[in-house]
Amino acid sequence: MIPQRPRRRMTSKSPDKQSPDDESALVPSQQDGAGEADQTETLSQLRDAISEIDQRHAEGESGFFAGLSIPGETVRTGAGQPGVSKPGRAVEAAGSGWAEGAAGAAPDFADALSFADDDDGDDAPDFDADYAKAKKTAMNMLAMRDHSSDELRKKLIKRELMPEAIDTLIDKLVKSRLLNDEEFAHRFVRAQRESRKLSRSVLKRELAKKGISPELASEAVSEVDGEEELAREVAAKKAASTRRLDYEVRERRILGMLARRGFPSAICIKVTREVLAED
């Protein structure tokens, strides 16, 4: 008679317990979660590094790609030497998918920075273009009225044109006698004497504001005379407009007008009393 083997008692597995196979099935998912966390941290660090690079580039710092190092990066300096950073060698961020120095692997922000560098040359001052602008502007100004060379130069400088182009244009205009400070001074004195009734001293100050030298100003002013006659003309006109006022008020206003025109005090007092006595 063959002995019977005892039957194994079947026990139901608890739903909370899992076999080793089941436990191993959890490992990949946990590893996936850890990998995603590492990748998120790496991307965050890479963004911070990119922001720092942009700032350094905006401040004009040269060589901002050299020695780029970000926590969590894998730096390749040669076969069998991981984790060593050396300027000028390929640097690859873990999980970023690009390496510095690798053709076609640079990220978009690197291309944008290279374009910005190329644009710097386009913004450089262009002598020929600025000279052409200065010439056109100067000819329009001279067509409207006379200018001294210094006055014209100051106006062109305000247009933010190259000083070298402006100086070259001024020299050419002077040589062609389109700008002549001596002739300008004489014409200016005659016109201001006739229209504004200015004294010699005021005319000299006005010429100095135009950039005319003291020698040229004195020469131009010396050709006008009749200071007392001109002062009398100014005083008579002012006296006619103040007839309804008291004598003291009229005298004060006439003297003030003559003083502002730059006439000597002796002439001011003399002609004021004369025109009030005659009026």
Side-chain angles (χ1 to χ4, degrees):
M1 185 175 181
I2 299 174
Q4 295 182 353
R5 295 180 179 178
R7 295 181 180 178
R8 292 182 179 179
R9 186 177 182 179
M10 301 298 294
T11 59
S12 62
K13 294 183 180 179
S14 174
D16 296 334
K17 294 183 180 180
Q18 296 177 342
S19 65
D21 293 338
D22 295 335
E23 292 178 356
S24 62
L26 293 176
V27 174
S29 62
Q30 293 175 353
Q31 291 177 348
D32 291 343
E36 292 177 357
D38 292 341
Q39 185 176 7
T40 301
E41 181 180 0
T42 300
L43 291 176
S44 177
Q45 293 169 348
L46 183 57
R47 293 191 190 99
D48 295 340
I50 292 173
S51 299
E52 181 180 356
I53 290 172
D54 291 339
Q55 181 178 359
R56 292 170 62 185
H57 177 68
E59 294 173 353
E61 182 176 345
S62 61
F64 57 90
F65 276 122
L68 177 62
S69 179
I70 306 173
E73 286 182 337
T74 300
V75 182
R76 297 179 181 177
T77 59
Q81 297 182 6
V84 180
S85 177
K86 183 180 293 184
R89 302 302 296 268
V91 181
E92 182 177 353
S96 64
W98 67 274
E100 181 186 347
D108 294 339
F109 77 90
D111 294 337
L113 294 179
S114 65
F115 292 149
D117 292 339
D118 294 339
D119 292 341
D120 292 342
D122 297 337
D123 295 338
D126 189 337
F127 178 89
D128 293 337
D130 278 13
Y131 179 85
K133 293 178 182 178
K135 182 178 179 181
K136 181 178 180 181
T137 304
M139 299 310 293
N140 289 336
M141 290 180 177
L142 292 174
M144 296 176 63
R145 69 168 180 84
D146 288 340
H147 287 72
S148 68
S149 57
D150 185 70
E151 181 185 17
L152 184 61
R153 178 182 286 104
K154 289 178 179 178
K155 288 186 176 182
L156 293 176
I157 289 176
K158 291 181 179 180
R159 302 296 181 96
E160 298 182 354
L161 301 174
M162 289 182 64
E164 295 82 358
I166 295 174
D167 291 340
T168 301
L169 175 64
I170 296 296
D171 291 341
K172 290 185 178 181
L173 292 175
V174 169
K175 291 178 180 179
S176 63
R177 299 189 67 81
L178 291 175
L179 278 179
N180 189 312
D181 285 351
E182 182 177 0
E183 294 180 1
F184 168 80
H186 286 274
R187 288 193 293 266
F188 181 84
V189 166
R190 290 193 295 268
Q192 294 297 311
R193 185 81 165 184
E194 178 67 26
S195 62
R196 299 175 61 190
K197 312 297 183 185
L198 299 178
S199 65
R200 293 177 181 176
S201 61
V202 173
L203 289 172
K204 287 183 179 180
R205 290 201 298 268
E206 292 294 321
L207 287 173
K209 294 179 181 178
K210 301 292 184 181
I212 301 299
S213 66
E215 294 78 11
L216 288 179
S218 298
E219 180 183 349
V221 170
S222 64
E223 70 178 9
V224 297
D225 52 8
E227 283 285 273
E228 186 172 333
E229 288 76 8
L230 184 62
R232 188 185 302 277
E233 181 181 347
V234 174
K237 185 176 181 180
K238 189 66 176 178
S241 65
T242 58
R243 284 195 178 97
R244 297 181 180 181
L245 302 177
D246 295 338
Y247 180 89
E248 291 79 8
V249 177
R250 299 177 68 191
E251 182 182 37
R252 184 170 62 254
R253 293 191 178 184
I254 294 172
L255 288 172
M257 172 69 72
L258 294 173
R260 287 191 295 272
R261 300 292 177 91
F263 293 102
S265 58
I267 293 179
C268 292
I269 295 173
K270 180 182 178 181
V271 299
T272 298
R273 291 175 179 177
E274 289 176 356
V275 296
L276 288 177
E278 295 171 0
D279 189 41

